[in-house]
Amino acid sequence: DGNLLVSIASNVDNNYCSKRLLVNITIVHSATAQGAVCLDGSPPAYHLDRGHGSGLRSWIIELEPGGWCSSIPDCLDRSAKFLGSSLHMDNVSRFAGILYNSSKDNPEFYNWNRVKVNYCDGSSFTSDVEQVDPGNKLYFRGARIYKAIIEDLWSKGLQNAENALLSGVSAGGLATILNCDKFRALLPKYVRVKCVADAGFFINGKTISGTSDIHEMYQRVVTLHGSAKNLPPSCTSAMEPSLINNTLVPEYLDPQHVWDDCKKHTSNCTFGQRSIIQVFAVEFLKAFLGLTPSFTRGYFITSCYSHGVIHLTHLWYSPTSPRLLLKAIAEAVADWYFDRAGFQSIDPYPCARDC
C-alpha cells in the first residue's frame, strides 16, 4: 500500500499568509479527447512551478479542495463557477505552504516541481459517468481528469521522478487517500513515493442536531457521480460504497446563523458550543483506535482551529506554526517522508501545547 500521512486540524481559518507565489494556469485541451472534462464540459487545468537544482527530479502534486456536489441543482450551480469550469478559473494561482518556493519558508520542498491540480468535478476526482443528460449537460468525469493530468505531467518529467509526493486538502485530501495506491503503482519501486492527506480524514459523526444524515448526503454524491467503481476495493469490500463525512454545523441546520461567529474562531464560541466541539473531538480521536497500526502511515493531529495547514505558509512552517514535540508540520512531514529517525514520536498532550 502507498505510504500515507494524515494531517488533521479542526474547522475553518480564512487567514492567508501574504507570502505567496503566483503561478500561471495550464489548460489541458488534449484531455477532452478522453472525455476528461469539468462539470460544464470545459477542459481540466493545473498550475506547475518547475523544480531546479537538487529538486529537478522531485515532484509534489497537490489536489485542490472545494467540497462536493450531491444533486443536479447543486452541480449545475457549481458548473458556472471555478469549481466546475475552467472557463471561470483564475489565470494564476497562489502557491504557499508546501508549494512555496522559498528555502526559508519551505526548506525541504521549495525547489521541487510543484503542481496544484484544479478541482472542477465535485467528486474528489472519483466520478465517471459516460452518458451526458441533454437536459442538464453535466459531465461527471473526475476520475478521467485525474488520469489525464497525471499523463500530461508524466510527459513533462514526472516519468523521471526520483521523489514524488501526492497531497491534498479537504476534498483534495480525501482524493489523495483514494488515489494513493494508484499513484504508488504508477512509478517504479525505487522511486520514493508517499501521500499527504491534509484535513481529508472524515468520520461518520453526528451534527449539532444529533443526527448522522450527512452520511446519506455523501451516498448521493457517490450515486450521482458513478464513483463506486473508482473507490479502493479495500474500502468497498468492507462496507457499502459511500463517502463518509461529518460536518458538525451544516448551514441547513443553523438557519438563524447562531454558529457563524463561532465558526470564524473558537474564541467567539459560547460555553455550550465549545462543549459540543469537545464531544466531537473525542469521537474523532476514538475513530483512530480502530485503525490497524502501520509503519508506513503517520498522523499529525492538532487541536488548532484551521481546516488544512499544508497550503498555508504561516501554519506550514513559520515561528507561529503549531508544533508537536517542538516540530512544525513541515518538519514532521519531511522527517516522515525521508524516513528520518524520530518521526514516529507521539505527544501525549498535543491539545495543551499546540495553540
Side-chain angles (χ1 to χ4, degrees), residues 311-334:
H311 63 314
L312 302 173
T313 300
H314 70 288
L315 295 177
W316 171 247
Y317 190 67
S318 77
T320 59
S321 298
R323 281 169 166 75
L324 293 179
L325 295 176
L326 304 180
K327 286 185 180 290
I329 187 170
E331 297 168 295
V333 168

Side-chain angles (χ1 to χ4, degrees), residues 106-123:
N106 187 24
E108 303 283 358
F109 307 106
Y110 74 97
N111 64 345
W112 286 29
N113 295 282
R114 286 154 290 111
V115 182
K116 182 185 291 185
V117 179
N118 295 64
Y119 180 38
C120 65
D121 62 274
S123 71

Side-chain angles (χ1 to χ4, degrees), residues 2-3 10 13 30 55 74 77 81 92 102 104 123 129 132 146 148 173 187 192 205 208 212 220 270 290-291 329:
N3 285 256
S10 64
D13 181 359
S30 60
D74 190 14
D77 179 68
K81 302 173 182 177
V92 296
S102 163
K104 177 183 177 181
S123 71
V129 178
V132 178
Y146 173 82
L187 293 156
R192 187 190 300 271
I208 56 173
S212 298
R220 294 196 298 271
T270 65
L291 297 179
I329 187 170

Side-chain angles (χ1 to χ4, degrees), residues 110-267:
Y110 74 97
N111 64 345
W112 286 29
N113 295 282
R114 286 154 290 111
V115 182
K116 182 185 291 185
V117 179
N118 295 64
Y119 180 38
C120 65
D121 62 274
S123 71
S124 286
F125 299 93
T126 63
S127 57
D128 193 3
V129 178
E130 181 64 35
Q131 299 300 319
V132 178
D133 187 333
N136 56 55
K137 297 181 181 179
L138 286 172
Y139 294 79
F140 299 110
R141 305 285 178 76
R144 300 189 199 186
I145 290 174
Y146 173 82
K147 180 176 181 291
I149 287 182
I150 292 296
E151 288 176 351
D152 198 67
L153 295 173
W154 187 263
S155 67
K156 292 182 178 179
L158 180 59
Q159 60 182 314
N160 300 316
E162 296 175 351
N163 296 289
L165 186 65
L166 182 67
S167 69
V169 178
S170 191
L174 178 59
T176 298
I177 294 173
L178 297 176
N179 286 287
C180 185
D181 287 346
K182 295 178 184 177
F183 189 65
R184 166 65 276 185
L186 177 70
L187 293 156
K189 291 294 185 181
Y190 63 81
V191 179
R192 187 190 300 271
V193 180
K194 296 190 179 183
C195 308
V196 175
D198 184 10
F201 186 90
F202 302 97
I203 68 169
N204 188 28
K206 294 181 179 180
T207 66
I208 56 173
S209 69
T211 62
S212 298
D213 53 339
I214 301 300
H215 179 281
E216 283 69 34
M217 191 272 281
Y218 280 94
Q219 177 68 64
R220 294 196 298 271
V221 172
V222 172
T223 302
L224 177 64
H225 290 266
S227 299
K229 59 188 174 184
N230 292 312
L231 301 179
S234 58
C235 295
T236 57
S237 62
M239 63 175 296
E240 77 279 5
S242 61
L243 307 181
I244 300 176
N245 177 50
N246 176 80
T247 303
L248 186 60
V249 193
E251 292 184 6
Y252 70 91
L253 288 181
D254 187 29
Q256 303 301 319
H257 305 286
V258 175
W259 281 76
D260 281 7
D261 288 340
C262 179
K263 288 194 290 185
K264 292 176 182 177
H265 200 279
T266 49
S267 62

Side-chain angles (χ1 to χ4, degrees), residues 288-299 344:
F288 284 87
L289 296 178
L291 297 179
T292 304
S294 171
F295 287 107
T296 64
R297 286 199 300 264
Y299 305 101
Q344 294 175 352

Side-chain angles (χ1 to χ4, degrees), residues 22-39:
L22 298 180
V23 179
N24 290 328
I25 197 169
T26 298
I27 305 291
V28 189
H29 294 283
S30 60
T32 58
Q34 307 174 39
V37 293
C38 300
L39 285 170

